[in-house]
């Protein structure tokens, strides 16, 4: 059996490292930081961990419906394609910064991209 | 098969079953969401040291207190578990001092017959006989004399703080919970920079943390910033200045955000001043206590300055909504 992307990318340690870098980028991006503001930072970081575990194809039991529910509040306050693209940008930049090989970044990006319609409630 | 004990009742954890699944099977009311170790909503505490894998991702201070994630825990021995909502155990203490620190803050000292174990910087709940309960931070380090020291600010019409100020006097008994919270110093990486930022009585836990770090021989720079609007609401200014004179690695700045700023004080908001004086916080450890707005804003600010989220410890002094 071949190792999963999650294992190849470095498992939980990789998720933890990625969250720190990613969340700094998101908080500094005026296009999207309003979605992440005004919430408890520790809780937000836990959600980012869920985001990366999922993007790395790791253990999670989120369904498309869960993704819809998790982001429906944001869609109501204007979440759109541009915002989604910004998050994809930061995902790529974060993994590049952490020296993740390009082919693994592409795999993670493809997983995240596959949630677009659900995240945007389309 | 291992036995899980909660509140004197015993439950069995089957082989290959997590503690969370065992408790849910036994209809124990425990909160959870992800079952993956990410959300931390299932976190509970054990009397025994839990398996390491059940503590992954938790703050170091929580790990030392044996907190763990039951959804990630396959027991390696019998465990005694304390649920978060399990009613607090209160002990009676005796007030031995109640004096003014400034125009609206008192120093309250409570003594106990037996040793009271805690980590400097933790808080306890104090309870009145009518059941009203409030959290207050411990301002000292564990003492031979088994005393706890508190700094309590009077809030206008504050139920509990006004009672402590006006009606509690030396010799009275008061109910005190077990210590709580994970905002405290751990004696590791002693060369690390420590940034302590507090508003008002946020100085209480920070004073405890500072005393502890100095007593444990912390060698890295320690910067304390204490702020309020008016000078009349600061306290222990001279003591802190003296301490800074005695310890070359300890630096103290008192900050005033109001109009009147005498010489020797920094003008502005305490978090902004700290950030401007310490531009590089990479690999520092940060403690934030006091006003919830300052604490939450500063958490993000220091994180953006490069502090790892695991190195940020905070107690926001949330006021119970009426
Ligand atoms: C972890 C933690 C640690 C803490 N440590 C400390 C400490 O070390 N020292 C300290 O002094 N405090 C500390 N606090 C705060 C403390 O727990 C109490 O919240 C505080 O003392 C106020 O309690 P109270 O009963 O006096 O006021 P409350 O009766 O709870 O009232 C709080 C304030 O709200 C106002 N208020 C209430 N209801 C209304 C309303 N309907 N409309 C408008 N205003 C209203 C009151 O006038 C008052 O000013 C801490 C809190 C936490 C969570
Ligand atoms: C790229 C694909 C995305 C994936 C795979 C993803 C995944 C997730 C996951 C797993 C959660 C946690 C859900 C939970 O358990 O509560 C979450 C929450 C969240 N996501 Fe996303 N997300 C994506 C895109 C976005 C975008 C584009 C934004 C905004 C710009 C966003 C903002 C948020 C916020 C703010 C939360 C927290 C919601 C709350 O407060 O409960 N996400 N996301
Ligand atoms: S249920 Fe989410 S961490 Fe245990």
């Amino acid at each position: 059996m071949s190792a999963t992307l999650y294992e190849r990318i470095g498992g939980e340690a990789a998720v933890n490292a990625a969250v720190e870098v990613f969340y700094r980028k998101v908080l500094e991006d005026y296009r999207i930081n309003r979605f992440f503001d005004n919430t408890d930072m520790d809780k937000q970081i836990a959600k980012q961990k869920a985001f990366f575990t999922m993007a790395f194809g790791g253990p999670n039991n989120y369904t498309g419906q869960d993704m819809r529910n998790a982001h429906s509040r944001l869609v109501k306050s204007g979440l759109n394609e541009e915002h989604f693209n910004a998050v994809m940008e930061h995902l790529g930049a974060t993994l590049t910064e952490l020296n993740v090989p390009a082919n693994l970044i592409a795999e993670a990006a493809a997983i995240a991209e596959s949630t677009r319609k659900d995240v945007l409630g389309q | 098969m291992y036995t899980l004990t909660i509140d004197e009742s015993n439950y069995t954890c089957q082989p290959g079953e997590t503690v969370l699944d065992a408790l849910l099977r036994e209809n124990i009311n425990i909160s959870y969401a992800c079952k993956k170790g990410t959300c931390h909503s299932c976190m509970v505490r054990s009397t025994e040291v839990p398996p390491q894998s059940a503590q992954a991702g938790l703050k170091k201070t929580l790990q030392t207190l044996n907190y763990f994630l039951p959804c990630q825990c396959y027991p390696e021995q019998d465990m005694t578990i304390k649920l978060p909502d399990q009613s607090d155990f209160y002990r009676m203490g005796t007030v031995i001092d109640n004096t003014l620190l400034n125009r609206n803050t008192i120093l309250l000292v409570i003594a106990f017959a037996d040793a009271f174990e805690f980590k400097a910087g933790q808080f306890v709940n104090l309870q009145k006989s009518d059941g009203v309960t409030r959290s207050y931070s411990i301002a000292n380090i564990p003492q031979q004399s088994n005393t706890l020291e508190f700094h309590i600010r009077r809030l206008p019409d504050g139920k509990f703080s006004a009672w402590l100020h006006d009606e509690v006097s030396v010799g009275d008994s008061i109910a005190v919970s077990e210590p709580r919270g994970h905002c405290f110093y751990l004696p590791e990486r002693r060369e690390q920079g420590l940034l302590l930022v507090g508003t008002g009585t946020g100085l209480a836990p920070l004073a405890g943390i500072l005393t502890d770090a100095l007593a444990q021989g912390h060698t890295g720079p320690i910067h304390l910033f204490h702020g309020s609007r008016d000078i009349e609401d600061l306290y222990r200014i001279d003591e802190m200045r003296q301490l800074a004179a005695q310890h070359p690695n300890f630096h103290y700045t008192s900050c005033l955000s109001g109009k009147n700023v005498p010489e020797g004080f920094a003008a502005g908001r305490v978090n902004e001043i700290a950030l401007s004086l310490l531009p590089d916080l990479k690999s520092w450890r940060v403690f934030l206590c006091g006003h919830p707005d300052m604490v939450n804003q500063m958490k993000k600010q220091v994180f953006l300055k490069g502090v790892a989220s695991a190195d940020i410890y905070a107690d926001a002094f949330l006021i119970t909504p009426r």
Side-chain angles (χ1 to χ4, degrees):
Chain A
M1 222 174 70
S2 68
T4 63
L5 173 64
Y6 182 75
E7 287 158 359
R8 280 178 288 145
I9 234 165
E12 199 198 309
V15 169
N16 288 338
V19 166
E20 296 275 317
V21 177
F22 176 81
Y23 194 45
R24 279 192 191 100
K25 292 189 189 299
V26 166
L27 280 180
E28 278 179 331
D29 184 343
Y30 68 94
R31 293 172 296 177
I32 52 173
N33 58 12
R34 68 180 171 97
F35 293 110
F36 298 85
D37 225 24
N38 130 55
T39 22
D40 185 300
M41 195 175 107
D42 296 315
K43 288 208 181 101
Q44 244 345 297
I45 284 184
K47 305 241 161 164
Q48 305 308 319
K49 269 178 86 171
F51 166 78
F52 274 100
T53 306
M54 193 172 167
F56 294 170
N60 74 76
N61 39 22
Y62 288 112
T63 62
Q65 191 57 45
D66 291 337
M67 281 299 95
R68 279 176 191 270
N69 296 342
H71 298 91
S72 66
R73 186 178 57 81
L74 311 177
V75 171
K76 278 199 202 94
S77 61
L79 185 72
N80 65 28
E81 303 278 354
E82 312 262 306
H83 303 130
F84 192 95
N85 295 342
V87 165
M88 292 299 297
E89 219 177 88
H90 293 310
L91 173 65
T94 299
L95 300 182
T96 305
E97 206 171 307
L98 294 173
N99 297 318
V100 174
N103 59 324
L104 299 189
I105 298 182
E107 278 187 59
I111 295 175
E113 185 59 50
S114 73
T115 66
R116 185 183 286 262
K117 286 207 149 46
D118 287 323
V119 166
L120 295 177
Q122 292 164 350
Chain B
M1 259 190 333
Y2 293 104
T3 303
L4 307 174
T5 307
I6 301 179
D7 222 4
E8 325 235 302
S9 305
N10 291 334
Y11 309 95
T12 308
C13 192
Q14 304 289 346
E17 193 179 36
T18 65
V19 170
L20 179 64
D21 285 332
L23 297 181
L24 292 174
R25 181 172 48 71
E26 299 277 9
N27 289 319
I28 305 293
N29 191 5
I30 175 168
S31 66
Y32 69 99
C34 70
K35 285 198 177 182
K36 294 293 167 205
T38 26
C39 73
H40 296 185
S41 58
C42 63
M43 186 170 71
V44 294
R45 196 173 171 186
S46 163
T47 313
E48 297 77 23
V49 175
Q52 219 178 4
S53 55
Q55 294 188 306
L58 296 186
K59 274 204 156 66
K60 276 268 167 58
T61 50
L62 287 169
Q63 294 183 359
T64 22
L65 297 177
N66 292 344
Y67 279 94
F68 70 101
L69 302 173
C71 71
Q72 300 300 304
C73 183
Y74 299 94
E76 291 164 0
Q77 59 177 323
D78 291 347
M79 299 179 85
T80 305
I81 296 171
K82 222 183 133 180
L83 300 178
D85 55 349
Q86 217 164 315
S87 63
D88 240 336
F89 174 73
Y90 281 87
R91 289 208 286 179
M92 296 310 286
T94 308
V95 174
I96 58 166
D97 197 0
N98 182 341
T99 46
L100 279 177
L101 287 167
N102 67 28
R103 63 178 174 186
N104 56 26
T105 307
I106 50 166
L107 168 71
L108 183 77
V109 185
I110 301 178
F112 296 84
D114 309 309
F116 193 106
E117 269 181 51
F118 66 96
K119 310 265 189 206
Q122 284 193 295
F123 62 92
V124 295
N125 289 336
L126 301 184
Q127 195 170 59
K128 262 167 77 170
S129 53
D130 61 3
V132 177
T133 307
R134 295 284 184 272
S135 306
Y136 294 100
S137 304
I138 306 170
N140 57 342
I141 58 174
Q143 308 279 322
Q144 286 289 319
S145 53
N146 302 329
T147 51
L148 297 186
E149 196 184 305
F150 303 92
H151 305 163
I152 292 164
R153 181 186 167 94
R154 177 204 292 274
L155 289 191
D157 303 322
K159 251 192 219 155
F160 209 94
S161 58
W163 174 71
L164 288 172
H165 274 249
D166 301 335
E167 292 174 48
V168 170
S169 42
V170 171
D172 289 351
S173 318
I174 191 162
V176 183
S177 78
E178 287 168 14
R180 301 162 155 243
H182 57 270
C183 181
F184 56 82
Y185 177 79
L186 282 177
E188 50 176 37
R189 292 186 290 164
R190 287 192 170 84
E191 69 300 333
Q192 200 179 17
L194 298 186
L195 170 60
L196 284 51
V197 183
T199 58
T201 48
L203 182 63
L206 297 180
I209 289 164
L210 169 68
T211 315
D212 200 21
L214 290 174
Q216 309 237 30
H218 194 85
T219 56
I222 308 177
H223 284 260
L224 167 65
F225 292 84
H226 186 206
S228 74
R229 203 163 64 118
D230 303 315
I231 190 168
E232 291 83 359
D233 295 322
L234 290 178
Y235 57 93
R236 298 241 157 128
I237 300 169
D238 291 337
E239 286 94 325
M240 287 301 161
R241 284 179 178 167
Q242 219 174 336
L243 211 53
Q246 287 162 6
H247 297 267
N249 65 331
F250 172 54
H251 310 274
Y252 166 67
T253 312
S254 34
C255 311
L256 296 169
S257 62
K259 282 209 180 71
N260 201 353
V261 184
E263 198 173 321
F265 294 81
R269 294 200 175 275
V270 67
N271 52 322
E272 304 295 346
I273 293 169
L275 289 170
S276 70
L277 289 179
L278 300 169
D280 184 12
L281 291 173
K282 252 197 198 89
S283 78
W284 280 55
R285 205 184 319 178
V286 178
F287 296 89
L288 308 168
C289 301
H291 199 290
D293 291 346
M294 186 283 286
V295 168
N296 289 328
Q297 195 188 359
M298 188 63 166
K299 259 191 192 174
K300 283 187 188 155
Q301 286 170 320
V302 295
F303 178 72
L304 289 177
K305 286 259 187 174
V307 182
S309 60
D311 277 330
I312 305 175
Y313 297 95
D315 265 336
F317 288 3
L318 293 165
I319 297 207
T320 323
R322 266 189 205 168

